Amino acid sequence: MIQIDQVTRVFKEKKKTVTAVNNVSFSIEKGEVIGLLGENGAGKTTLLRMIAGILEPTSGGISINNLDVQKNPTEIKKTIGVLFGSETGLYDRLTARENLQYFARLYGLSRHHTENQIELLATRFGMKDYLDRRVGGFSKGMRQKVAIARTLIHDPQVILLDEPTTGLDITSANMFREFIHHLQNEGKTIIFSSHIMEEVQQLCEAIVMIHKGNVVYNGTLQNLYKEEETDNLNYIFMSKIVRGNSID
Ligand SMILES: Nc1ncnc2c1ncn2[C@@H]1O[C@H](COP(=O)(O)OP(=O)(O)O)[C@@H](O)[C@H]1O
Ligand SMILES: [Mg+2]
């Protein structure tokens, strides 16, 4: 369903050139949950931005449902929901409901459909009590719930979540993880990035491990454990990085 084909992204700044994503290829089937695992600066956000069609690859191509993301922005926008870390994109002066209505309008949802979706999402996330309060006064956890609801307002098939639990307290982070399971049961295709090994181990069967823009592993966790003869993902990660560095 998602094909990433030899994707490279280079950023040129005054003096230096950074290859944030280097010749990355992998594919994801419908209904899969993929953990994009890598430390800070590995290239996770850059890759997710390209999959979302927000950032153009320097070379290579990405398609979702056989549609090139660069060439079909309107279709792609309907298909995917994105949430980039703590950038919730919410308007503080609007209530939670007004925020959701605003984004629903951007997606061209009818008023009736919008109200149904808001009702459904508010129930699911337990935010009915504060739906009509201004987002400005919300705690981080409350905000994140509204931000997730915003990501899902148009019922997208594909969901991209960039470090969704970073900065959340334990309760909110756990709620979030449960919620990813729930979406998976609904048959959604999900890519989420994380630098937390345990989180990735809990949430997905398959991972893409990325280091300095390069994919160092792509496949199931089960297979990785077998290959490495241990299920200590932290250890595997460190040893892959060391091996990767000795190559270049
Ligand atoms: N807009 C940009 N301009 C210049 N360099 C960038 C830009 N975005 C990301 N980078 C660089 O690309 C690399 C990967 O960054 P990023 O994708 O944000 O990694 P991650 O999300 O895994 O922490 C880093 O070295 C970062 O400094
Ligand atoms: Mg990032």
Side-chain angles (χ1 to χ4, degrees), residues 11 44-56 84:
F11 290 110
K44 303 182 297 296
T45 301
T46 304
L47 185 56
L48 288 173
R49 287 175 69 205
M50 291 191 285
I51 298 172
I54 301 165
L55 181 73
E56 201 176 342
F84 283 98

Side-chain angles (χ1 to χ4, degrees), residues 118-238:
I118 291 176
E119 180 68 24
L120 192 107
L121 293 165
T123 307
R124 182 191 281 179
F125 297 127
M127 42 183 231
K128 280 194 156 180
D129 290 345
Y130 51 86
L131 209 45
D132 293 304
R133 277 162 51 191
R134 283 189 190 181
V135 166
F138 285 12
S139 70
K140 192 142 189 167
M142 287 157 80
R143 256 173 195 280
Q144 190 76 343
K145 285 186 187 179
V146 183
I148 300 161
R150 178 198 68 113
T151 301
L152 300 176
I153 194 78
H154 57 304
D155 196 23
Q157 287 176 48
V158 175
I159 301 157
L160 307 178
L161 305 163
D162 191 23
E163 307 230 18
T165 59
T166 300
L168 292 186
D169 59 35
I170 292 175
T171 315
S172 307
N174 283 338
M175 183 218 80
F176 199 84
R177 292 182 192 124
E178 267 184 34
F179 159 71
I180 290 187
H181 277 305
H182 192 103
L183 288 176
Q184 182 180 23
N185 291 337
E186 284 182 3
K188 304 289 188 195
T189 307
I190 305 168
I191 310 180
F192 76 97
S193 71
S194 179
H195 61 270
I196 308 165
M197 307 286 159
E198 297 76 24
E199 180 167 272
V200 170
Q201 283 177 304
Q202 276 174 25
L203 288 176
C204 51
E205 284 173 16
I207 63 166
V208 172
M209 206 185 263
I210 180 170
H211 183 59
K212 292 186 180 168
N214 293 287
V215 171
V216 292
Y217 180 75
N218 166 28
T220 63
L221 282 169
Q222 208 182 8
N223 194 46
L224 181 66
Y225 299 154
K226 216 166 109 190
E227 269 180 20
E228 301 288 330
E229 297 176 340
T230 170
D231 62 0
N232 184 335
L233 191 56
N234 210 12
Y235 173 81
I236 295 173
F237 185 72
M238 292 315 292

Side-chain angles (χ1 to χ4, degrees), residues 104 108-119:
L109 265 61
S110 71
R111 190 174 295 193
H112 179 71
H113 189 189
T114 302
E115 292 317 311
N116 282 346
Q117 280 293 92
I118 291 176
E119 180 68 24

